[in-house]
Every structure is written in C-alpha cells, then in structure tokens.
Amino acid sequence: MTMRTASLPDKGPPPRWARIAVVVYLAVTVAAVGASLVTGSFETGLDAVFREWLVRSLVVLTLPVSAAYFAVGFLLDSSGPPSPGVLSPTAVLFYLGFLALAVVNAALFRWMVLNTRKPVPAAATSAAVPQVPVVTFHGVTRYVRHLRWTVPLAVLLSLPQWLVAGLAWCGISGCSGGGFGVSTGTEWLAVTMSAVNGLILAVAVFAVRWLYPTGKRALIALAAGTLFGLVGAAVTHG
C-alpha cells in the first residue's frame, strides 16, 4: 500500500473530437426519427420491411439505454411498425422517446470522456488548492466503492432484456417444446439482448475510475461483460 498526492481532474470542456461526435450522433438520430415519423404518417410507397429496419436502426443508435425501452415496446406490441398514414399519438411518443434516449447517451458519453481524461498533476495547479492524499493498493483507488451501486444498477437494467431473450430463444413455452411448442425465428433478438447486457455491465465496470492503468480496467470490464452476457444467454435459453 502506498501513499501519494492525488492528481486533480481536468475540469475543462470535452475535446473537439468529442463535441463533434456528439453533434453528429444527435443529428443522425434526429434524422432517423424524422424519417420514421414521415414514413409512418404518409403514403411513401416504402414497404414494411424498410420501415421495420428504420425502427431497428433507432434502437441500435440509442443502445445501450434503449434496450429496456425496446423490450417494453416489444412486449406491448409485437405487430411491427404501424401502417402508413395511420400513425397514432402513442406511436409518435414512442419515436420521440428515442430522442430522449439519444440525449441520455450523449450525456453519458460526455461524462465518460471527462472522467477518462488524464488528470492534471496537483503540482501543476495553484498552491492554494488543497492536495488530498489518496491511498492506493495495486492500482485500486478509493472510487472502487462506487462499484457497489454501478454494478447492481447494470444488473437491474438487464432484467427486461433477460425477459425478452427468454421469450425470443424458443417462444413462450420455452425450449422444452411443451405447451405451444418451440417457436424459432427470433433467436437474433435473444443474442442481441444478451450482447447488450454484456455491454451494459462492461460500461458500468469501466466508467468508474477504480483501477489504473486504464488498459487493465478496460480488460477487466471486457471480461466481466463477456462473462455476464454468456451467463445471461445460457440462463435465458434454458
């Protein structure tokens, strides 16, 4: 165990590339939402398959926070995109909800960029700023305690995806074949939900600055997310 002087976080704005990425991301999401509203409100001659893939693109654009949102929509209405020209107020709110999810994603991205930025050494700052000693053990920082709420939160956010994956693997009767029998064709949804759950846990482990160097923390987050996704897939497939 060692005692060192804490480096102070860089409180400046995000770098230019991060600001550009956020603007491009929000612009693409707004365009996709607008296209979904137009194709659902007017007779554009586009087939249902195109409109369905447009909705899927919105889900992908707003991952991972859209996973639970999509799961709820999937359970409430699995009939696919509405017919052209009959877009209901509920469908409009559903599409606009993706904009809110995009804003949440942009805020999370900004927070992650600021928190993974290289700290400014305390010696380079004003002498008036107090220097707080930080105890470290093999690179583990005092922020490790934040994992007590980020990891359970990630597991909680994974519950809707687990429910959808359990239905998507083999249908409502499960893979045993009883009841209504085995239903196939939606396995891609189960795989996607399992991968999303792994991504959520990986982000929860990596975003907290509990271990340095950052590369070691990234490897642990990747391993934890992969294991979590595989275990979820195995449990839901049963």
Side-chain angles (χ1 to χ4, degrees), residues 50-229:
F50 177 83
R51 291 184 288 113
E52 184 177 349
W53 277 103
L54 196 56
V55 175
R56 291 180 183 178
S57 69
L58 284 173
V59 176
V60 173
L61 279 171
T62 50
L63 286 173
V65 291
S66 65
Y69 187 72
F70 172 76
V72 172
F74 179 85
L75 292 175
L76 293 179
D77 183 13
S78 60
S79 59
S83 301
V86 291
L87 196 62
S88 66
T90 303
V92 173
L93 291 177
F94 174 74
Y95 286 126
L96 293 180
F98 286 107
L99 291 180
L101 297 180
V103 172
V104 172
N105 268 349
L108 288 173
F109 175 74
R110 183 181 185 276
W111 178 78
M112 290 181 61
V113 169
L114 291 177
N115 279 270
T116 55
R117 177 181 289 182
K118 185 178 180 180
V120 177
T125 61
S126 172
V129 178
Q131 298 180 2
V132 182
V134 177
V135 178
T136 63
F137 180 75
H138 293 300
V140 178
T141 72
R142 58 190 174 90
Y143 295 108
V144 68
R145 66 180 185 273
H146 293 315
L147 294 177
R148 293 182 298 182
W149 66 268
T150 59
V151 172
L153 178 61
V155 175
L156 182 63
L157 291 175
S158 299
L159 295 180
Q161 289 80 257
W162 275 344
L163 178 59
V164 174
L167 295 174
W169 278 121
C170 301
I172 193 172
S173 298
C175 297
S176 61
F180 295 99
V182 177
S183 176
T184 59
T186 56
E187 293 85 354
W188 65 269
L189 182 58
V191 174
T192 301
M193 292 295 100
S194 300
V196 167
N197 283 345
L199 177 62
I200 291 175
L201 185 69
V203 170
V205 174
F206 177 76
V208 179
R209 296 176 297 169
W210 65 276
L211 179 67
Y212 284 100
T214 305
K216 183 187 296 185
R217 189 169 80 245
L219 289 177
I220 294 177
L222 180 61
T226 302
L227 180 61
F228 187 66

Side-chain angles (χ1 to χ4, degrees), residues 14-28 106 109-110 113:
R16 187 168 180 266
W17 67 266
R19 297 196 298 269
I20 293 175
V22 168
V23 171
V24 172
Y25 168 70
L26 292 177
V28 171
F109 175 74
R110 183 181 185 276
V113 169

